[in-house]
Amino acid sequence: MDRLPTIEDVARAARVSRQTVSNVLNTPAIVKPETRKRVEVAIRKLAYRPHASARRLRMRKSSTIAIRLDPMTNGISGALLDRFLHALTEQADARGIRILLFTAADPAAEIEQIRKLRAGADVDAFVLTATFHGDPRTEWLVENDVPFVTFGRPWGANDMNNPKHLWVDVDGFAGMREAAIHLIDQGSSRVGFVGWPSLSGTGDDRRRGWQAAVEERLSTSDTDLAALNLSVEDRLEDARDAVVALLESDEKIDGLVCASDTLALGAMIAAASVGRSDLPIIGFDNSPVGQAIGLSSVDQTLDEVAGGALELLLGQTGGDLVHRDAAAGDTRHRLITPHLVIRQPLRLLASDAASTPTATKSAVGNHKNGKETQ
């Protein structure tokens, strides 16, 4: 067949009416199983695909999911978000779903953009990133019955189990615990943690993973836990200065785990500047810059995150939004287990540390401002 197959071709091959084929495509439950199977076989044999635009008009759905394109300066690593968007777009396309990007300066502006997109029937559902304590966006979406999924847990906990709040997240506790245990298994006996200030849901989660590991394996005291725990903003310079002070005050530290690759690179520069280039350091995010310099890091497996977000919204194989009934016990979240990537790091000399180019710093990204989750 030189031309594209039509619904009439399917009907003729399956020996049914055109309406029956339409029913199989749009309301399969009303078609007898044996008839439905015959039509599905014909669809596969002919490689028939419904006309997407016509189907959207017929079903009064846009087959579109929207996500805010966050500014590079808002605290999310640009590389991390780029990788997530790429995975989300690629997997959505395989399901016949389009991704629409929009911008907004802050949560209030994002809510207004969502309201406009819904009012114009341009979008069926939304993916949110950078959730935080008391996030007004999720509250508004739940109250207005707008389908959505968040990349990040509802850290405020008020809607942790709300069936209208679907979420997918990376298990930072498990990832950081594995990183710390790896250093301990390699011989480290005094492992420090470089993280973000409190009230960062993700940062606190990763800190707990480090703490669990050193308490279990090293029986670290509360006093030592406090001494080994650094909290800084997610800036390379802040991490460098804090780690220099830590290493100068405690020469027994023989390993560091960090809540981001930005912090880990700052720690590497600090270690080199005090003559400790061999200090084992592990970051989090497996960023391109981290990979380039041989930094060991916890990979967030963003392909799985994107797949989990789409599955929560659309079901395992479907292309329509899933109707969820809390009483039916539908799964409302995905907690993705990250994996540790161990590399042989490039050796930084003190002279390198003193002249780290600004381009390298900005390439790592200001990953965290103490609130967002990714």
Side-chain angles (χ1 to χ4, degrees):
M1 182 180 295
D2 294 331
R3 60 183 178 81
L4 291 175
T6 66
I7 193 170
E8 286 80 7
D9 295 324
V10 175
R12 189 159 43 249
R15 302 187 306 279
V16 297
S17 68
R18 185 182 186 281
Q19 183 59 50
T20 298
V21 176
S22 178
N23 290 341
V24 170
L25 292 170
N26 300 309
T27 54
I30 69 173
V31 182
K32 293 181 179 180
E34 58 271 21
T35 303
R36 185 170 67 244
K37 183 176 181 180
R38 198 162 69 245
V39 172
E40 289 171 345
V41 168
I43 289 173
R44 288 194 298 270
K45 184 177 180 181
L46 295 174
Y48 170 74
R49 295 190 65 179
H51 191 280
S53 297
R55 187 169 189 267
R56 284 192 287 270
L57 288 172
R58 184 169 60 252
M59 300 299 293
R60 295 186 179 181
K61 291 184 178 181
S62 67
S63 297
T64 302
I65 295 172
I67 180 172
R68 175 193 177 193
L69 183 62
D70 291 70
M72 290 288 289
T73 57
N74 81 332
I76 292 181
S77 164
L80 185 76
L81 182 58
D82 285 348
R83 288 158 54 202
F84 174 66
L85 285 175
H86 181 86
L88 187 72
T89 302
E90 187 176 64
Q91 294 186 43
D93 181 66
R95 292 169 173 263
I97 300 295
R98 300 177 299 181
I99 297 295
L100 182 148
L101 301 179
F102 66 96
T103 61
D106 53 42
E110 185 170 357
I111 290 173
E112 180 60 19
Q113 286 278 49
I114 292 171
R115 186 192 65 76
K116 290 178 179 179
L117 290 169
R118 284 291 287 178
D122 296 319
V123 174
D124 297 326
F126 295 83
V127 176
L128 269 62
T129 61
T131 56
F132 55 91
H133 286 282
D135 195 332
R137 301 171 303 167
T138 57
E139 181 179 355
W140 187 90
L141 289 163
V142 168
E143 288 180 353
N144 288 272
D145 201 28
V146 177
F148 73 100
V149 61
T150 62
F151 178 7
R153 275 164 276 185
W155 295 107
N158 291 335
D159 59 353
M160 180 67 82
N161 295 311
N162 190 320
K164 292 184 179 181
H165 186 161
L166 311 176
W167 58 266
V168 59
D169 202 7
V170 174
D171 192 342
F173 175 94
M176 206 84 273
R177 180 177 178 276
E178 182 184 2
I181 286 176
H182 173 81
L183 293 185
I184 295 168
D185 288 345
Q186 293 300 305
S188 296
S189 59
R190 192 166 176 79
V191 179
F193 176 79
V194 187
W196 305 304
S198 194
L199 294 183
S200 160
T202 295
D204 292 344
D205 196 42
R206 295 176 189 179
R207 179 178 288 105
R208 285 190 292 269
W210 158 77
Q211 182 173 333
V214 297
E215 286 181 335
E216 292 169 11
R217 298 297 184 91
L218 300 175
S219 300
T220 304
S221 67
D222 290 343
T223 300
D224 279 346
L225 283 174
L228 293 167
N229 179 11
L230 293 181
S231 293
V232 298
E233 295 298 332
D234 198 74
R235 290 187 288 266
L236 185 148
E237 296 87 349
D238 289 3
R240 178 197 61 203
D241 295 344
V243 172
V244 164
L246 177 66
L247 296 179
E248 289 180 340
S249 66
D250 189 343
E251 296 180 353
K252 293 183 179 180
I253 291 177
D254 53 6
L256 290 174
V257 292
C258 305
S260 74
D261 282 0
T262 301
L263 298 179
L265 181 55
M268 289 180 69
I269 295 170
S273 71
V274 297
R276 297 285 308 276
S277 293
D278 59 345
L279 181 70
I281 297 172
I282 298 178
F284 204 109
D285 290 336
N286 197 27
S287 65
V289 169
Q291 295 174 38
I293 64 174
L295 175 68
S296 295
S297 187
V298 179
D299 190 284
Q300 295 212 41
T301 57
L302 294 173
D303 282 342
E304 291 187 42
V305 174
L310 291 171
E311 185 176 312
L312 287 171
L313 282 175
L314 307 173
Q316 291 187 354
T317 59
D320 293 319
L321 293 177
V322 175
H323 173 72
R324 297 180 183 277
D325 181 357
D330 288 312
T331 300
R332 298 182 297 274
H333 68 265
R334 298 282 188 278
L335 190 58
I336 307 298
T337 301
H339 68 272
L340 181 61
V341 180
I342 299 299
R343 300 185 177 92
Q344 183 64 39
L346 299 178
R347 184 65 61 87
L348 284 179
L349 302 177
S351 57
D352 299 325
S355 60
T356 301
T358 302
T360 300
K361 298 176 185 178
S362 62
V364 176
N366 177 21
H367 173 75
K368 203 77 176 90
N369 67 6
K371 289 184 178 180
E372 289 86 3
T373 60
Q374 275 76 264

